[in-house]
Amino acid sequence: MKKILPLFSYLFHPIFIPVFGTFFYLFFTPNYFEFNQKYLILLQVLLITIFIPISFFYLLKAIGKVDSMMVSELSQRKIPLIIQAFLIYTLIQRSITLDRIPELFFFFFGGLLSTLLTLLFLFGKIKASIHMIGISSLTAFVVGLSLHNQINFMCYIAFLILMNGVVASSRLEMKAHTNIELAIGFFVGLLPQLALYFFWL
């Protein structure tokens, strides 16, 4: 099991969470989008939240600003987080807008708030687990979709709750975080999503 656990740090890497949330919304909940529109939205999210950040990562690695995809050092996290915040802001201003896709808008807006909180903690030399931010925010979003659409997503929610524990165990096994850092990450991801329920549920 200890050999398998690190795999979950890659499967549920924070860079994939926006795509997971978007895919779940588009293909598991009732909405007015046609299939070609769904794939176009998913492609936009893929481009802005995965392909562009990966390009920036290789640039930052080439100039010595980061050393791995996990960005474990506090000093290496500021630039990637600033880039992430800018890209999410661009996404919710240009594509995933409030009037067009309100559910996804608040999911990404919550992600933006979590990113800014993580940056704020960095200036206080506090390290939050970005993996836990990602998986806890995704869990809260799926719970919100279940409540919003009155659809029973209990199997998916139970799976995501389990994955919160598995991802936390994975980060501990890889000695990437302490229990406190994992807890901080969990709440930094969860609380903005819960707070935004007020606006879309």
Side-chain angles (χ1 to χ4, degrees), residues 98 102 106 109 194-201:
L98 178 60
F106 285 114
F109 185 61
L194 294 182
L196 291 172
Y197 278 178
F198 176 78
F199 298 99
W200 66 281
L201 289 191

Side-chain angles (χ1 to χ4, degrees), residues 103-167:
E103 298 91 343
L104 273 183
F105 172 86
F106 285 114
F107 173 55
F108 282 102
F109 185 61
L112 177 59
L113 293 178
S114 294
T115 302
L116 295 176
L117 282 172
T118 306
L119 265 172
L120 187 63
F121 281 133
L122 278 182
F123 287 103
K125 305 297 182 183
I126 298 171
K127 184 179 178 183
S129 170
I130 300 175
H131 279 75
M132 292 307 299
I133 292 172
I135 192 64
S136 65
S137 64
L138 179 62
T139 304
F141 180 56
V142 173
V143 171
L145 287 176
S146 179
L147 295 171
H148 181 65
N149 294 291
Q150 296 296 297
I151 300 175
N152 187 351
F153 286 149
M154 284 306 298
C155 290
Y156 302 117
I157 294 168
F159 171 77
L160 287 171
I161 291 172
L162 175 62
M163 287 303 100
N164 275 263
V166 172
V167 169

Side-chain angles (χ1 to χ4, degrees), residues 32-137:
Y32 61 86
F33 297 107
E34 297 181 358
F35 275 103
N36 61 331
Q37 293 176 309
K38 291 179 180 181
Y39 287 117
L40 180 59
I41 293 168
L42 194 60
L43 181 61
Q44 291 172 343
V45 174
L46 276 166
L47 178 66
I48 294 177
T49 65
I50 293 185
F51 295 133
I52 293 177
I54 286 176
S55 300
F56 273 114
F57 164 74
Y58 282 110
L59 174 62
L60 292 172
K61 188 173 183 180
I63 61 177
K65 295 296 184 180
V66 299
D67 55 15
S68 76
M69 282 291 288
M70 296 302 175
V71 195
S72 56
E73 297 295 326
L74 277 176
S75 59
Q76 298 179 1
R77 290 186 162 207
K78 290 179 183 177
I79 295 176
L81 285 171
I82 290 170
I83 292 171
Q84 180 183 353
F86 174 76
L87 290 174
I88 295 174
Y89 178 77
T90 301
L91 189 65
I92 62 178
Q93 284 291 307
R94 302 293 182 182
S95 179
I96 312 296
T97 57
L98 178 60
D99 59 333
R100 186 179 178 215
I101 321 175
E103 298 91 343
L104 273 183
F105 172 86
F106 285 114
F107 173 55
F108 282 102
F109 185 61
L112 177 59
L113 293 178
S114 294
T115 302
L116 295 176
L117 282 172
T118 306
L119 265 172
L120 187 63
F121 281 133
L122 278 182
F123 287 103
K125 305 297 182 183
I126 298 171
K127 184 179 178 183
S129 170
I130 300 175
H131 279 75
M132 292 307 299
I133 292 172
I135 192 64
S136 65
S137 64

